[in-house]
């Protein structure tokens, strides 16, 4: 069902199927919204912002966010199984970023509502000889259009919804057609288990990608928060320019995992393999370029390929699975296109390179390591979004930094080295929004996430992410 103006309703376009990517079975159907439904959602969000006290009542918003968190927690096991089946997410990830962590993060934003300095006093001044008392207020932007992808649906839906609501905005959420149930359940919990007023949140599932463009163009929408590919991000930005609305863009990545010459090569390469193909590599911040000392390239290839072969591709419902299926036949074809391209560019497969021989149903790609390419190859420069890693040689710290930064993207990165201060020094030189040093985990509600260059505009999560959804107003009173 859609959530429109406080009511759970069917889509006027009927329904569309959602598919289990591990088996290709039809799980069921989701409400299929039309442009008319989206128009109604935008209108409801506009009225809720303009005509209710939602934006002004900080304590009420904090309470509603905690209600949403608690309602989702009560349905945690149901949501866990749904996420494994609809997203193809390995079970182990649902105890972290695929479910439990983003639900818990709602509490952090509720706390922030109560502790945030909504107004600051600049004191008295006499500009142009006129005595004045100045204050600065932070206020909600207004109506937020949130457009989200399929790879980490709970995390990304809630990373937009939580801070946007905490800031006092109203929201229209347009999720990806591949994972409509993960968004529809938010509408159910909001309608049935929270006091969030009608129109404050609207959830619009649809098979029509064009509804996202409708959100970006509509003058009633004040800000668009989009997560997805860089190519689509450009289209969102261009479309939003017509009404000069603000945009937050969290886009693609081709992040580097740098192994320094004093690192434990086996530990570093094994960790790079594990992290690179988790959830079939379907994460924008996953490190998919592994940079190793040139003189140890062959050894690194053997270690990384051996780890990938042991991990394999498995049933996401299995507790031991790290790499599950990719989301769809379309995505599998995209990944296979890059595998063919890598061979044409002169690369070879140290591991994987195709579909698992033992699976005739589902959208599977073997964990794959490509060797023999330079950083100029398309397979080394473009985001593949599959369980495919590229091994590249470097000639020391300066060369590793040069190669890592030689990318249109700048979302994430990793550095492994024996000398921690040296590793930190390399990390500081990377032009990326997040960096892990020796396995450090940067994910958290309090940590801003986003990228440099073509990896996006703005930050999500943390105080910085919360403030993306605020306007600044200066008030001066004559004395």
């Amino acid at each position: 069902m859609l959530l429109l103006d406080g009511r759970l309703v069917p889509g006027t376009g009927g329904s569309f199927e959602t598919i289990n990517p591990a088996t290709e079975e039809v799980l069921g159907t989701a409400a299929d919204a039309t442009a008319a439904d989206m128009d109604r959602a935008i209108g409801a969000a506009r009225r809720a912002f303009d005509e209710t006290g939602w934006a002004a009542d900080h304590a009420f918003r904090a309470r509603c966010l905690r209600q949403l968190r608690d309602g989702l927690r009560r349905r945690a096991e149901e949501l866990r199984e749904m996420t494994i089946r609809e997203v193809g997410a390995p079970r182990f990830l649902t105890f972290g970023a695929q479910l439990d962590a983003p639900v818990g993060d709602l509490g952090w934003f509720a706390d922030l509502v109560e502790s945030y300095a909504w107004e600051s006093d600049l004191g008295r001044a006499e500009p142009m000889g006129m005595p004045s008392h100045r204050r600065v207020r932070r206020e909600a932007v207004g109506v937020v259009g949130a457009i989200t992808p399929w790879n980490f649906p709970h995390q990304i839906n809630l990373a937009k919804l939580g801070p946007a609501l905490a800031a006092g905005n109203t929201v229209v959420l347009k999720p990806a057609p591949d994972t409509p149930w993960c968004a529809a359940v938010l509408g159910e919990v909001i309608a049935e288990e929270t006091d969030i007023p009608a129109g404050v949140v609207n959830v619009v599932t649809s098979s029509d990608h064009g509804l996202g463009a409708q959100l970006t163009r509509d003058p009633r929408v004040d800000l668009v928060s989009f997560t997805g590919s860089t190519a689509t991000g450009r289209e969102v930005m261009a479309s939003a320019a017509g009404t000069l609305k603000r945009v937050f863009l969290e886009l693609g990545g081709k992040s580097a995992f740098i192994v320094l010459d004093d690192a434990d090569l086996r530990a570093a390469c094994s960790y790079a393999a594990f992290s690179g193909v988790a959830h079939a590599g379907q994460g924008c911040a996953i490190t998919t370029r592994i940079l190793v000392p040139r003189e140890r390239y062959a050894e690194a290839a053997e270690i990384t390929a051996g780890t990938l072969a042991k991990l394999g591709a498995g049933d996401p419902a299995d507790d031991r699975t790290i790499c599950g299926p990719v989301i769809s036949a379309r995505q599998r074809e995209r990944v296979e296109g890059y595998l063919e391209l890598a061979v044409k560019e002169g690369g070879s497969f140290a591991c994987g390179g195709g579909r698992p021989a033992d699976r005739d149903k589902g959208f599977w790609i073997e964990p794959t390591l490509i060797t023999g390419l330079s950083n100029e190859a398309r397979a080394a420069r473009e985001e593949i979004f599959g369980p495919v890693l590229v091994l590249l040689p470097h000639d020391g710290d300066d060369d590793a930094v040069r190669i890592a930064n030689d990318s249109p993207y700048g979302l994430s990165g990793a550095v492994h080295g024996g000398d921690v201060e040296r590793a930190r020094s390399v990390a500081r030189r990377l032009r990326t929004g997040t960096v892990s040093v020796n396995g450090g985990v940067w994910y958290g509600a309090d940590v801003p996430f986003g990228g440099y260059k073509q990896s996006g505009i703005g930050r999500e999560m943390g105080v910085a992410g919360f403030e993306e959804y605020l306007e600044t107003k200066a008030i001066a009173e004559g004395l």
Side-chain angles (χ1 to χ4, degrees):
M1 304 290 274
L2 310 178
L3 177 61
L4 297 181
D5 205 7
R7 297 179 58 231
L8 296 171
V9 298
T12 57
S15 62
F16 65 102
E17 295 177 341
T18 184
I19 307 295
N20 184 331
T23 64
E24 300 183 52
E25 70 173 312
V26 175
L27 295 172
T29 61
D32 202 0
T34 63
D37 295 318
M38 178 59 80
D39 182 74
R40 181 180 168 192
I42 296 170
R46 186 76 262 170
R47 288 191 302 275
F49 185 79
D50 292 341
E51 300 174 11
T52 75
W54 171 256
D57 195 337
H58 304 326
F60 178 56
R61 296 202 308 277
R63 179 161 64 85
C64 287
L65 283 170
R66 293 187 181 107
Q67 288 175 335
L68 178 56
R69 176 200 61 192
D70 295 345
L72 291 169
R73 280 178 169 170
R74 283 190 288 271
R75 298 179 64 171
E77 295 314 308
E78 170 197 345
L79 293 177
R80 197 177 316 284
E81 299 306 319
M82 175 196 298
T83 306
I84 292 166
R85 289 183 295 137
E86 185 176 54
V87 185
R91 181 178 295 277
F92 89 97
L93 277 177
T94 67
F95 295 97
Q98 279 285 10
L99 180 62
D100 289 357
V103 169
D105 290 344
L106 290 171
W108 189 86
F109 286 107
D111 294 343
L112 183 61
V113 174
E114 295 170 333
S115 63
Y116 187 71
W118 295 93
E119 184 169 296
S120 55
D121 191 336
L122 300 183
R124 177 185 169 129
E126 296 189 11
M128 296 173 285
M130 301 175 67
S132 303
H133 193 136
R134 295 87 39 77
R135 293 181 176 84
V136 174
R137 286 178 52 81
R138 303 305 302 271
E139 299 177 348
V141 169
V143 176
V144 171
I147 305 171
T148 59
W150 43 260
N151 57 324
F152 281 79
H154 298 300
Q155 195 280 320
I156 300 171
N157 290 342
L158 294 175
K160 297 188 187 303
L161 202 61
L165 295 179
N169 300 284
T170 60
V171 180
V172 178
L173 173 64
K174 166 62 176 72
D178 303 272
T179 52
W181 282 3
C182 289
V185 74
L186 276 174
E188 292 177 12
V189 174
I190 287 167
E192 298 170 356
E193 302 190 46
T194 78
D195 296 322
I196 294 174
V200 167
V201 179
N202 303 271
V203 180
V204 184
T205 59
S206 178
S207 61
D208 182 1
H209 289 275
L211 296 196
Q214 184 180 346
L215 260 181
T216 66
R217 292 191 302 264
D218 197 298
R220 295 170 294 178
V221 177
D222 299 293
L223 179 151
V224 172
S225 181
F226 170 80
T227 297
S229 72
T230 295
T232 305
R234 292 191 191 101
E235 296 174 6
V236 168
M237 196 171 187
S239 182
T243 51
L244 288 179
K245 60 171 56 69
R246 287 168 56 181
V247 293
F248 163 79
L249 303 174
E250 197 281 287
L251 307 176
K254 191 73 175 181
S255 302
F257 188 111
I258 298 174
V259 182
L260 302 179
D261 60 17
D262 65 342
D264 180 329
L265 189 71
R266 179 166 296 280
C269 289
S270 297
Y271 185 80
F274 172 90
S275 59
V277 301
H279 189 33
Q282 298 172 117
C284 53
I286 288 176
T287 45
T288 54
R289 291 182 294 154
I290 307 175
L291 280 55
V292 299
R294 187 179 299 276
E295 63 275 12
R296 303 190 71 183
Y297 187 86
E299 184 184 358
E302 181 181 359
I303 294 168
T304 308
T307 303
L308 292 175
K310 290 177 183 177
L311 291 175
D315 180 355
D318 190 325
D319 290 337
R320 299 165 295 179
T321 293
I322 305 302
C323 178
V326 296
I327 190 66
S328 65
R330 180 181 66 254
Q331 185 63 20
R332 181 178 60 189
E333 289 169 8
R334 171 184 167 83
V335 176
E336 288 176 330
Y338 274 104
L339 296 178
E340 293 173 8
L341 177 63
V343 174
K344 291 178 182 177
E345 292 179 313
S348 59
F349 303 128
C351 177
R355 304 181 187 184
D358 60 342
R359 295 188 180 276
D360 58 359
K361 288 288 186 181
F363 310 123
W364 299 91
I365 293 287
E366 298 172 293
T368 298
L369 179 66
I370 303 172
T371 58
L373 295 180
S374 72
N375 197 52
E376 285 68 44
R378 283 182 59 192
R381 297 190 71 78
E382 298 177 12
E383 186 175 45
I384 297 174
F385 230 62
V388 180
L389 307 178
V390 179
L391 192 70
L392 301 170
H394 71 75
D395 296 308
D397 296 8
D398 290 347
D399 191 46
V401 170
R402 178 191 64 79
I403 295 169
N405 287 339
D406 180 18
S407 171
Y409 301 111
L411 189 55
S412 193
V415 182
H416 275 239
D419 182 333
V420 176
E421 185 49 48
R422 177 185 171 193
R424 287 189 195 127
S425 177
V426 170
R428 285 192 290 267
R429 296 164 64 191
L430 298 182
R431 297 197 66 228
T432 66
T434 57
V435 187
S436 166
V437 175
N438 288 345
V441 178
W442 43 257
Y443 175 84
D446 58 334
V447 179
F449 173 69
Y452 292 22
K453 299 184 280 186
Q454 294 184 35
S455 285
I457 296 173
R459 292 295 181 269
E460 198 152 66
M461 309 294 283
V463 174
F466 168 73
E467 290 179 337
E468 294 284 351
Y469 297 97
L470 294 174
E471 291 280 19
T472 302
K473 177 183 287 182
I475 300 173
E477 301 168 3
L479 299 175

